[in-house]
Amino acid sequence: MPRFVDLRELESCLSHSEAKEIALDEPVSVELMHRLASEGRLQYFPHFPRPYFRIDHPTAWLIQGIIGTPRLRIQLFGDRRAAALERLRELIETPAPSDETTKESPCHT
Amino acid sequence: MRSVHLNQAATSFPKPREVVEAVHAWFDRPPVDAARGGDGANDPVAPCRKELAGLLGVNDAAGIVLLPSATHALNLVIGALVEPGCHVVTSTLEHNSVLRPIAHRERDIGVAVTMIEPGADGTLEPASLQAALRPSTSLVALTHASNVTGSIQPVEELAEVAAAASVPLLLDASQTAGAVSLTHGRLPGRVFVAFAGHKGLMGPPGVGCLVVPDSMLPQTIVGGTGMRSEDRFHPPDLPLRHEAGTPNLPGIAGLRAGVRFVHRIGVEALGAHRAWLVERLREGMRVMGHIRLFPLAHEDGRVGIVPFCVAGWDPDEVGLVLRESFSIEVRTGLHCAPLALRGLPGEPRGSVRVSVGLGTAEDDVDLLLAALASLEGC
């Protein structure tokens, strides 16, 4: 189970883009990706040399990551960003039930 | 996986071996102040000025002022020549290193600013500059080539217009130095040229240059020069007139080697290499239905820049995927030139900018094209 070890602001060319990077103590796995996708729409690109995914939460966040790297790039939206970040931490650090289903975009599977 | 650097417009990579060796060599020998005697073996400043003067057709190497960056050079001129009550002409193609110093003068001392815009081909019309000039215009500040679109400006014609009105021209040649020939001595009027040493000139970061046409530019940065210490005031003569403090000697040593390298290969040949790679990129992208080349992308590819968008993808995400999944480094966003894409589709999310250089191989371009092809339909 990965641990959330650091959070840093990412410099962006656009001031309205508030991207952050979560550092984990182990690489992102497919299992973690699916766990995060339990609260959003997953787009997964396994055919890329290093598989890429993005998860769009309807109102709270966008997560982007690479399978095998210990980092997640996130953007938080709305008025409850602190709560959203805490929920992300829970999702990362708490294993989900194994029978959990996700909504994957068909063009990216 | 091999890393591919397609962000050469930001800084060139890899640097020629002789540049790296020149920097190392500077650190391997005790610093020597050539102005106080000695053989000058470890003083790269005067030789670097001479190399730059030769490359840029500057009649007197004393007119080559070495500074920490092109941004410093641009600020030096804008700060000195844009005074209260003045009017300045610039363009929407400019980098923030021009736009922001002017914006600060506008906010702080109330100068008037006119922005001219490029035509459909991405270039600035001399007639637009002519129309923008006023009796109070004290400076025209324009880029030689856009760092967003790569469009090369008709600098001779623009200089003619400024010269006819007796208005100094400040040219930002950061994207063209080492890629597009420029002969300062042939430009009419009072022309200042600012550029970075770490892009097309292949030097290390930390050295910029300002070509000054005379010793009339007011001094704004003064201090220690290592000579004439008893004088209360900073030396008035070029080039020390605008140089204060300890120079970046290892950086200047590297820049000297870079300029010699560029001289040896030839600016025309370097520009032709970029143009060839740009054409290969464009050919590959044109057949991809999901790639949209920006309409202002200049047909002349010597600067080596190709701006585009990918259907269904935010430019920033394209950059992330290319870097993290494919190990290809490009630049995304507004490229510190926030007005350059004004009015075009895709604003304000910017563009993906691929930029090639001497260190770019055909294979690098093909790797990018393959990566972009895999984004189709997503």
Side-chain angles (χ1 to χ4, degrees), chain B residues 28 33 98 114 133 139 152 215 250 275 284 301 333 338:
Chain B
D28 284 342
D33 188 341
V98 168
T114 300
L133 292 171
L139 182 67
I152 301 169
S215 56

Side-chain angles (χ1 to χ4, degrees), chain B:
Chain B
M1 193 186 306
R2 183 165 70 89
S3 292
V4 175
H5 180 71
L6 294 176
N7 192 17
Q8 302 279 350
T11 196
S12 52
F13 179 84
K15 304 297 183 188
R17 179 53 45 194
E18 52 260 60
V19 171
V20 177
E21 288 172 353
V23 175
H24 281 178
W26 188 88
F27 282 107
D28 284 342
R29 292 194 295 261
V32 174
D33 188 341
R36 297 184 182 187
D39 63 3
N42 213 18
D43 179 10
V45 176
C48 186
R49 282 193 223 284
K50 193 174 172 186
E51 296 281 355
L52 284 165
L55 187 76
L56 294 161
V58 177
N59 295 326
D60 182 357
I64 301 286
V65 177
L66 296 170
L67 296 163
S69 67
T71 299
H72 277 75
L74 293 160
N75 270 268
L76 200 68
V77 178
I78 293 167
L81 295 184
V82 182
E83 297 180 306
C86 289
H87 169 246
V88 58
V89 180
T90 188
S91 84
T92 54
L93 294 175
E94 306 307 313
H95 190 275
N96 272 338
S97 55
V98 168
L99 292 179
R100 284 178 174 169
I102 290 174
H104 277 244
R105 303 299 278 174
E106 186 178 24
R107 182 193 67 186
D108 298 341
I109 61 172
V111 302
V113 180
T114 300
M115 296 264 181
I116 59 175
E117 298 188 16
D121 68 348
T123 63
L124 301 166
E125 290 286 339
S128 299
L129 173 58
Q130 180 71 59
L133 292 171
R134 301 179 191 172
S136 60
T137 305
S138 65
L139 182 67
V140 172
L142 300 173
T143 187
H144 190 190
S146 165
N147 73 308
V148 178
T149 66
S151 56
I152 301 169
Q153 304 308 315
V155 64
E156 290 82 7
E157 290 92 329
L158 294 165
E160 290 275 4
V161 173
S166 299
V167 176
L169 170 64
L170 170 59
L171 200 60
D172 177 3
S174 292
Q175 292 300 331
T176 53
V180 179
S181 291
L182 179 71
T183 305
H184 180 264
R186 287 191 198 152
L187 294 175
R190 192 174 179 220
V191 180
F192 298 83
V193 183
F195 55 88
H198 66 99
K199 299 177 190 274
L201 295 177
M202 313 305 289
V207 185
C209 182
L210 177 65
V211 179
V212 293
D214 52 48
S215 56
M216 295 190 293
L217 187 72
Q219 293 167 288
T220 50
I221 299 174
V222 296
T225 54
M227 59 186 70
R228 298 187 218 167
S229 297
E230 76 282 10
D231 285 354
R232 187 170 172 227
F233 296 108
H234 194 95
D237 306 321
L238 290 172
L240 278 184
R241 179 180 178 82
H242 301 296
E243 293 178 354
T246 304
N248 177 0
L249 292 169
I252 293 170
L255 175 58
R256 179 196 179 196
V259 176
R260 292 178 76 167
F261 177 86
V262 168
H263 253 315
R264 193 170 72 248
I265 305 291
V267 172
E268 295 297 338
L270 291 166
H273 175 70
R274 287 182 176 84
W276 173 68
L277 292 168
V278 162
E279 190 48 39
R280 187 176 182 85
L281 270 169
R282 285 184 185 146
E283 277 181 14
M285 289 181 181
R286 280 190 195 110
V287 299
M288 296 182 197
H290 60 300
I291 302 291
R292 186 167 58 83
L293 287 160
F294 274 93
L296 291 182
H298 203 261
E299 286 306 309
D300 183 338
R302 284 178 293 166
V303 175
I305 289 173
V306 180
F308 62 96
C309 280
V310 182
W313 293 78
D314 182 274
D316 202 33
E317 187 172 29
V318 174
L320 176 71
V321 166
L322 289 175
R323 181 174 61 246
E324 299 288 342
S325 286
F326 294 88
S327 297
I328 299 172
E329 190 69 32
V330 299
R331 177 76 191 265
T332 62
L334 299 176
H335 318 290
C336 293
L339 307 179
L341 297 176
R342 193 162 68 174
L344 291 177
E347 187 190 4
R349 300 298 294 180
S351 66
V352 183
R353 182 189 72 183
V354 172
S355 53
V356 298
L358 180 64
T360 309
E362 193 177 352
D363 286 356
D364 297 334
V365 167
D366 293 344
L367 281 171
L368 174 70
L369 291 172
L372 292 176
S374 71
L375 302 183
E376 186 171 17
C378 297

Side-chain angles (χ1 to χ4, degrees), chain A residues 12-14 16-17 19 21 43 45 47-54 62 64-66 69 71 73 75 107-108, chain B residues 1 312-314 316-317 320-321 323-327 331-336 348-350 371 374-375 377-378:
Chain A
S12 173
C13 190
L14 299 170
H16 65 260
S17 170
E21 186 176 88
Q43 294 175 287
F45 304 81
H47 58 294
F48 289 177
R50 283 189 284 268
Y52 169 75
F53 66 88
R54 65 174 285 163
L62 164 66
Q64 295 163 305
I66 303 289
T69 66
R71 299 184 302 278
R73 180 176 161 134
Q75 289 181 58
C107 80
H108 297 147
Chain B
M1 193 186 306
W313 293 78
D314 182 274
D316 202 33
E317 187 172 29
L320 176 71
V321 166
R323 181 174 61 246
E324 299 288 342
S325 286
F326 294 88
S327 297
R331 177 76 191 265
T332 62
L334 299 176
H335 318 290
C336 293
R349 300 298 294 180
S374 71
L375 302 183
C378 297

